Coordinates of all heavy atoms in Angstrom, one line a residue:
G1 N 102.3 100.2 97.1 CA 102.6 98.8 97.2 C 102.3 98.2 98.6 O 102.0 99.0 99.5
I2 N 102.3 97.0 98.7 CA 102.0 96.3 99.9 C 103.2 96.5 100.9 O 102.9 96.8 102.1 CB 101.8 94.8 99.7 CG1 100.5 94.6 98.9 CG2 101.7 94.1 101.0 CD1 100.2 93.2 98.6
I3 N 104.4 96.3 100.5 CA 105.5 96.4 101.4 C 106.1 97.8 101.4 O 106.6 98.3 100.3 CB 106.6 95.4 101.1 CG1 106.0 94.0 101.2 CG2 107.8 95.5 102.0 CD1 106.9 92.8 100.9
K4 N 106.2 98.4 102.5 CA 106.8 99.7 102.8 C 108.0 99.4 103.7 O 107.8 98.9 104.8 CB 105.9 100.7 103.3 CG 104.8 101.0 102.4 CD 103.7 102.0 102.9 CE 102.7 102.3 101.9 NZ 101.4 102.0 102.3
H5 N 109.2 99.7 103.3 CA 110.4 99.4 104.0 C 110.4 99.8 105.5 O 110.1 101.0 105.7 CB 111.6 99.9 103.3 CG 112.9 99.5 103.9 ND1 113.3 98.1 103.9 CD2 113.9 100.1 104.5 CE1 114.5 98.0 104.5 NE2 114.8 99.2 104.9
N6 N 110.6 98.9 106.3 CA 110.6 99.1 107.8 C 109.3 99.6 108.4 O 109.2 100.1 109.5 CB 111.8 100.0 108.2 CG 113.1 99.4 108.2 OD1 113.2 98.2 108.5 ND2 114.1 100.1 107.9
N7 N 108.2 99.4 107.6 CA 106.9 99.7 108.1 C 106.0 98.5 108.0 O 105.4 98.1 109.0 CB 106.3 100.9 107.3 CG 105.0 101.4 107.8 OD1 104.6 101.0 108.9 ND2 104.3 102.1 107.0
T8 N 105.9 98.0 106.8 CA 105.1 96.7 106.7 C 105.9 95.5 106.3 O 105.4 94.5 106.0 CB 103.9 97.0 105.6 OG1 104.6 97.3 104.4 CG2 103.0 98.0 106.0
G9 N 107.2 95.7 106.1 CA 108.1 94.7 105.7 C 109.5 95.2 105.6 O 109.8 96.4 105.9
I10 N 110.3 94.4 105.0 CA 111.7 94.8 104.8 C 112.0 94.5 103.3 O 111.8 93.4 102.8 CB 112.7 94.1 105.7 CG1 112.5 94.4 107.1 CG2 114.2 94.4 105.3 CD1 113.3 93.7 108.1
L11 N 112.5 95.5 102.6 CA 112.9 95.4 101.2 C 114.4 95.2 101.1 O 115.1 95.8 101.8 CB 112.5 96.6 100.4 CG 111.0 96.9 100.3 CD1 110.7 98.2 99.7 CD2 110.2 95.8 99.6
V12 N 114.8 94.3 100.3 CA 116.2 94.0 100.0 C 116.5 94.1 98.6 O 115.5 93.9 97.7 CB 116.7 92.6 100.6 CG1 116.5 92.6 102.1 CG2 115.9 91.5 100.0
G13 N 117.7 94.3 98.2 CA 118.1 94.4 96.8 C 117.9 93.1 96.1 O 118.1 92.0 96.7
Q14 N 117.5 93.2 94.8 CA 117.3 92.0 94.0 C 118.6 91.2 93.9 O 119.7 91.8 93.7 CB 116.8 92.4 92.6 CG 116.5 91.3 91.7 CD 115.9 91.7 90.4 OE1 116.0 92.9 90.1 NE2 115.4 90.8 89.6
K15 N 118.6 89.9 94.1 CA 119.7 89.0 94.0 C 120.8 89.4 95.0 O 122.0 89.1 94.7 CB 120.3 89.0 92.5 CG 119.3 88.5 91.5 CD 119.9 88.5 90.1 CE 118.8 88.0 89.2 NZ 119.4 87.9 87.8
N16 N 120.4 90.0 96.1 CA 121.4 90.4 97.1 C 121.3 89.4 98.3 O 120.6 89.7 99.3 CB 121.2 91.8 97.5 CG 122.4 92.3 98.4 OD1 123.0 91.6 99.1 ND2 122.6 93.6 98.4
S17 N 121.9 88.2 98.2 CA 121.7 87.2 99.2 C 122.2 87.6 100.6 O 121.6 87.2 101.6 CB 122.3 85.9 98.7 OG 123.7 86.0 98.5
S18 N 123.3 88.3 100.6 CA 123.8 88.7 101.9 C 122.9 89.7 102.6 O 122.7 89.6 103.8 CB 125.3 89.3 101.8 OG 125.3 90.5 101.0
Q19 N 122.3 90.6 101.9 CA 121.4 91.6 102.4 C 120.1 90.8 102.9 O 119.6 91.1 104.0 CB 121.0 92.7 101.4 CG 120.2 93.8 102.0 CD 119.8 94.8 101.0 OE1 119.7 94.6 99.8 NE2 119.6 96.0 101.4
L20 N 119.7 89.9 102.2 CA 118.5 89.1 102.5 C 118.8 88.3 103.8 O 118.0 88.3 104.8 CB 118.1 88.1 101.4 CG 117.0 87.2 101.7 CD1 115.7 87.9 102.0 CD2 116.8 86.2 100.5
A21 N 120.0 87.7 103.9 CA 120.4 86.9 105.1 C 120.5 87.8 106.3 O 120.0 87.5 107.4 CB 121.7 86.2 104.8
D22 N 121.1 89.0 106.1 CA 121.2 89.9 107.2 C 119.8 90.4 107.7 O 119.6 90.5 108.9 CB 122.0 91.2 106.8 CG 123.5 90.9 106.6 OD1 124.0 89.8 107.1 OD2 124.2 91.7 106.0
S23 N 118.9 90.6 106.8 CA 117.6 91.1 107.2 C 116.8 90.0 107.9 O 116.1 90.2 108.9 CB 116.8 91.5 105.9 OG 117.4 92.6 105.3
I24 N 117.0 88.7 107.5 CA 116.3 87.6 108.2 C 116.9 87.4 109.6 O 116.1 87.3 110.5 CB 116.5 86.3 107.4 CG1 115.7 86.4 106.1 CG2 116.1 85.1 108.2 CD1 115.9 85.3 105.1
V25 N 118.2 87.5 109.7 CA 118.8 87.4 111.0 C 118.4 88.5 111.9 O 118.0 88.3 113.1 CB 120.4 87.3 110.9 CG1 121.0 87.5 112.3 CG2 120.8 86.0 110.2
N26 N 118.3 89.7 111.4 CA 117.9 90.9 112.2 C 116.4 90.7 112.7 O 116.1 90.9 113.8 CB 118.0 92.1 111.4 CG 117.6 93.4 112.1 OD1 117.8 93.5 113.3 ND2 116.9 94.3 111.5
L27 N 115.6 90.2 111.8 CA 114.2 89.9 112.2 C 114.1 88.8 113.3 O 113.3 88.9 114.2 CB 113.3 89.5 111.0 CG 112.7 90.6 110.2 CD1 112.1 90.0 109.0 CD2 111.7 91.4 111.0
L28 N 114.9 87.8 113.1 CA 114.9 86.7 114.1 C 115.4 87.2 115.5 O 114.9 86.7 116.5 CB 115.7 85.5 113.6 CG 115.2 84.7 112.4 CD1 116.2 83.7 111.9 CD2 113.9 84.0 112.8
K29 N 116.2 88.1 115.5 CA 116.8 88.6 116.8 C 116.0 89.7 117.4 O 116.1 90.1 118.6 CB 118.2 89.1 116.6 CG 119.2 88.1 116.3 CD 120.6 88.7 116.1 CE 121.7 87.7 115.9 NZ 123.0 88.3 115.7
N30 N 115.1 90.4 116.6 CA 114.4 91.6 117.0 C 112.9 91.4 117.1 O 112.2 91.6 116.2 CB 114.8 92.7 116.1 CG 114.4 94.1 116.5 OD1 113.5 94.2 117.4 ND2 115.0 95.1 116.0
D31 N 112.5 90.9 118.3 CA 111.0 90.7 118.5 C 110.2 92.0 118.3 O 109.1 91.9 117.8 CB 110.8 90.1 119.9 CG 111.2 88.7 120.1 OD1 111.4 88.0 119.0 OD2 111.4 88.3 121.2
R32 N 110.7 93.1 118.7 CA 110.0 94.3 118.6 C 109.8 94.7 117.2 O 108.7 95.1 116.8 CB 110.8 95.4 119.3 CG 110.1 96.7 119.6 CD 110.9 97.5 120.5 NE 110.3 98.8 120.7 CZ 110.9 99.9 121.1 NH1 112.2 99.8 121.5 NH2 110.3 101.0 121.3
L33 N 110.8 94.5 116.3 CA 110.6 94.8 114.9 C 109.6 93.8 114.3 O 108.8 94.3 113.5 CB 112.0 94.8 114.2 CG 112.0 95.0 112.7 CD1 111.4 96.4 112.4 CD2 113.4 94.9 112.1
Q34 N 109.7 92.6 114.6 CA 108.7 91.6 114.1 C 107.3 92.0 114.4 O 106.4 92.0 113.6 CB 109.0 90.2 114.8 CG 110.2 89.5 114.3 CD 110.3 88.2 115.1 OE1 109.3 87.5 115.4 NE2 111.5 87.8 115.4
K35 N 107.1 92.4 115.7 CA 105.7 92.8 116.1 C 105.2 94.0 115.3 O 104.1 94.1 114.9 CB 105.7 93.0 117.6 CG 105.8 91.7 118.3 CD 105.8 91.9 119.8 CE 106.1 90.5 120.5 NZ 106.3 90.7 122.0
K36 N 106.1 95.0 115.2 CA 105.8 96.2 114.5 C 105.4 95.9 113.1 O 104.4 96.4 112.6 CB 107.0 97.2 114.6 CG 106.8 98.4 113.7 CD 108.1 99.2 113.7 CE 108.1 100.1 112.4 NZ 109.4 100.7 112.2
L37 N 106.3 95.2 112.4 CA 106.0 94.9 110.9 C 104.7 94.1 110.8 O 103.9 94.4 109.9 CB 107.2 94.1 110.3 CG 108.5 94.9 110.3 CD1 109.6 94.0 109.6 CD2 108.4 96.2 109.5
R38 N 104.5 93.1 111.7 CA 103.3 92.3 111.6 C 102.1 93.1 111.8 O 101.1 93.0 111.0 CB 103.4 91.2 112.6 CG 102.3 90.1 112.6 CD 102.4 89.1 113.6 NE 103.7 88.4 113.7 CZ 104.5 88.5 114.8 NH1 104.1 89.1 115.9 NH2 105.6 87.9 114.7
K39 N 102.1 93.9 112.8 CA 100.9 94.8 113.1 C 100.6 95.8 112.0 O 99.5 95.9 111.5 CB 101.2 95.6 114.4 CG 100.1 96.5 114.8 CD 100.4 97.3 116.0 CE 99.3 98.3 116.3 NZ 99.8 99.5 117.0
N40 N 101.7 96.4 111.5 CA 101.5 97.4 110.4 C 101.0 96.7 109.1 O 100.1 97.3 108.4 CB 102.8 98.2 110.2 CG 103.1 99.1 111.3 OD1 102.3 99.4 112.1 ND2 104.4 99.6 111.3
A41 N 101.6 95.6 108.8 CA 101.2 94.8 107.6 C 99.7 94.4 107.7 O 98.9 94.6 106.8 CB 102.1 93.6 107.4
M42 N 99.3 93.9 108.8 CA 97.9 93.4 109.0 C 96.9 94.6 108.9 O 95.9 94.5 108.3 CB 97.7 92.7 110.3 CG 98.4 91.3 110.4 SD 97.8 90.2 109.1 CE 96.1 90.0 109.6
T43 N 97.3 95.7 109.5 CA 96.4 96.9 109.4 C 96.3 97.4 108.0 O 95.2 97.7 107.5 CB 97.0 98.0 110.3 OG1 97.0 97.6 111.7 CG2 96.2 99.3 110.2
H44 N 97.4 97.4 107.3 CA 97.4 97.9 105.9 C 96.6 96.9 105.0 O 95.8 97.4 104.2 CB 98.9 98.0 105.4 CG 98.9 98.3 103.9 ND1 98.6 99.5 103.4 CD2 99.3 97.5 102.9 CE1 98.7 99.5 102.1 NE2 99.2 98.3 101.7
I45 N 96.8 95.6 105.2 CA 96.0 94.7 104.4 C 94.6 94.8 104.6 O 93.7 94.7 103.7 CB 96.6 93.2 104.6 CG1 98.0 93.1 104.2 CG2 95.6 92.2 104.0 CD1 98.2 93.2 102.7
K46 N 94.2 94.9 105.9 CA 92.7 95.0 106.2 C 92.1 96.2 105.6 O 91.0 96.1 105.2 CB 92.5 94.9 107.7 CG 92.8 93.6 108.3 CD 92.6 93.6 109.8 CE 92.9 92.2 110.4 NZ 92.9 92.2 111.9
K47 N 92.8 97.3 105.6 CA 92.3 98.5 105.0 C 92.3 98.5 103.5 O 91.3 98.8 102.9 CB 93.1 99.7 105.5 CG 92.9 100.2 106.9 CD 93.7 101.4 107.2 CE 93.6 101.8 108.7 NZ 94.5 102.9 109.0
A48 N 93.4 98.2 102.9 CA 93.6 98.3 101.5 C 92.9 97.2 100.7 O 92.6 97.3 99.5 CB 95.0 98.4 101.1
Y49 N 92.8 96.0 101.3 CA 92.3 94.8 100.5 C 91.1 94.2 101.2 O 90.9 93.0 100.9 CB 93.5 93.8 100.4 CG 94.6 94.4 99.6 CD1 95.7 94.9 100.3 CD2 94.6 94.6 98.3 CE1 96.8 95.6 99.7 CE2 95.7 95.2 97.6 CZ 96.7 95.7 98.3 OH 97.8 96.3 97.6
S50 N 90.3 94.9 101.9 CA 89.1 94.4 102.5 C 88.1 94.2 101.3 O 88.3 94.7 100.2 CB 88.5 95.3 103.5 OG 88.0 96.5 102.8
W51 N 87.1 93.3 101.5 CA 86.1 93.1 100.5 C 85.4 94.4 100.1 O 85.1 94.6 98.9 CB 85.1 92.0 100.9 CG 85.7 90.7 100.7 CD1 85.9 89.8 101.7 CD2 86.1 90.0 99.5 NE1 86.5 88.6 101.2 CE2 86.6 88.7 99.9 CE3 86.1 90.4 98.2 CZ2 87.1 87.8 98.9 CZ3 86.6 89.5 97.2 CH2 87.0 88.2 97.6
D52 N 85.2 95.3 101.1 CA 84.5 96.6 100.8 C 85.4 97.4 99.8 O 84.9 98.0 98.9 CB 84.2 97.3 102.1 CG 83.1 96.7 102.9 OD1 82.3 95.9 102.3 OD2 83.1 97.0 104.1
M53 N 86.7 97.4 100.1 CA 87.6 98.2 99.3 C 87.8 97.6 97.9 O 87.8 98.3 96.9 CB 89.0 98.3 100.0 CG 89.9 99.3 99.3 SD 89.3 101.0 99.0 CE 89.4 101.6 100.7
V54 N 87.9 96.3 97.8 CA 88.0 95.6 96.5 C 86.7 95.9 95.7 O 86.8 96.2 94.5 CB 88.2 94.1 96.7 CG1 88.1 93.4 95.4 CG2 89.6 93.9 97.3
A55 N 85.6 95.8 96.3 CA 84.3 96.1 95.6 C 84.2 97.5 95.1 O 83.8 97.8 94.0 CB 83.1 95.7 96.5
K56 N 84.7 98.4 96.0 CA 84.7 99.8 95.6 C 85.6 100.1 94.4 O 85.2 100.8 93.4 CB 85.1 100.7 96.8 CG 85.2 102.2 96.5 CD 85.7 102.9 97.7 CE 85.9 104.4 97.3 NZ 86.5 105.1 98.4
R57 N 86.8 99.5 94.4 CA 87.7 99.7 93.3 C 87.1 99.0 92.0 O 87.2 99.6 90.9 CB 89.0 99.1 93.6 CG 89.8 99.9 94.6 CD 91.2 99.4 94.7 NE 91.9 100.0 95.9 CZ 92.6 99.3 96.7 NH1 92.9 98.1 96.5 NH2 93.2 100.0 97.7
F58 N 86.5 97.9 92.1 CA 85.9 97.2 91.0 C 84.8 98.0 90.4 O 84.7 98.2 89.2 CB 85.4 95.8 91.4 CG 84.8 95.0 90.3 CD1 85.7 94.4 89.3 CD2 83.5 94.9 90.1 CE1 85.1 93.7 88.3 CE2 82.9 94.2 89.0 CZ 83.8 93.6 88.1
A59 N 84.0 98.6 91.3 CA 82.9 99.5 90.8 C 83.4 100.7 90.1 O 82.8 101.1 89.1 CB 82.0 99.9 92.0
E60 N 84.5 101.3 90.6 CA 85.1 102.5 90.0 C 85.6 102.1 88.6 O 85.4 102.9 87.6 CB 86.2 103.0 90.8 CG 85.7 103.7 92.1 CD 86.8 104.0 93.1 OE1 88.0 103.7 92.8 OE2 86.5 104.6 94.1
I61 N 86.3 101.0 88.5 CA 86.8 100.5 87.2 C 85.7 100.3 86.2 O 85.7 100.7 85.0 CB 87.7 99.3 87.3 CG1 89.0 99.7 88.1 CG2 88.0 98.7 86.0 CD1 89.8 98.5 88.5
Y62 N 84.6 99.6 86.7 CA 83.5 99.3 85.9 C 82.8 100.5 85.4 O 82.4 100.6 84.2 CB 82.5 98.4 86.7 CG 81.3 97.9 85.8 CD1 81.4 96.9 84.9 CD2 80.1 98.5 86.1 CE1 80.4 96.5 84.1 CE2 79.0 98.1 85.3 CZ 79.1 97.1 84.3 OH 78.0 96.7 83.6
A63 N 82.7 101.5 86.2 CA 82.0 102.8 85.9 C 82.8 103.5 84.8 O 82.2 104.1 83.9 CB 81.9 103.7 87.1
K64 N 84.1 103.4 84.8 CA 85.0 104.1 83.8 C 84.8 103.4 82.4 O 85.0 104.0 81.4 CB 86.4 104.0 84.2 CG 86.7 105.0 85.4 CD 88.2 104.9 85.8 CE 88.5 105.7 87.0 NZ 89.9 105.6 87.4
M65 N 84.5 102.1 82.4 CA 84.3 101.4 81.2 C 83.1 101.6 80.5 O 82.9 101.4 79.3 CB 84.4 99.9 81.5 CG 85.8 99.4 82.0 SD 85.9 97.7 82.6 CE 85.6 96.9 81.1
K66 N 82.1 102.2 81.1 CA 80.8 102.5 80.5 C 80.9 103.6 79.5 O 81.6 104.5 79.5 CB 79.8 102.9 81.6 CG 79.3 101.7 82.3 CD 78.2 102.1 83.2 CE 77.6 100.9 83.9 NZ 76.4 101.2 84.8

């Protein structure tokens, strides 16, 4: 998945508004965590979802359909 807890983002329980609020407050107070998550997320997205990678996956799927 795109989001890996405390690596590329923060996961919270579904319909858990207090956990969501706590996570938002923690991010607002923690510049270091913000920078870490932003950097890791951008690196992951560039690697996993670059046009080269998307084209490669599409070609693999297309090859399996033949």
Side-chain angles (χ1 to χ4, degrees):
I2 293 175
I3 299 178
K4 295 177 179 124
H5 187 63
N6 284 328
N7 184 15
T8 58
I10 296 176
L11 297 173
V12 296
Q14 185 178 11
K15 297 181 182 180
N16 191 335
S17 58
S18 63
Q19 188 182 26
L20 177 60
D22 290 344
S23 295
I24 291 170
V25 169
N26 183 36
L27 274 173
L28 291 172
K29 290 181 177 180
N30 192 335
D31 288 339
R32 195 169 174 198
L33 179 59
Q34 287 178 36
K35 289 175 185 174
K36 173 189 155 187
L37 296 179
R38 187 180 309 118
K39 179 184 174 204
N40 290 346
M42 290 301 295
T43 299
H44 175 69
I45 294 297
K46 286 178 183 177
K47 284 182 186 176
Y49 300 99
S50 68
W51 281 114
D52 290 338
M53 186 57 70
V54 170
K56 179 182 174 187
R57 287 188 192 139
F58 183 77
E60 289 170 356
I61 292 169
Y62 183 75
K64 289 178 184 177
M65 294 172 64
K66 285 187 174 183

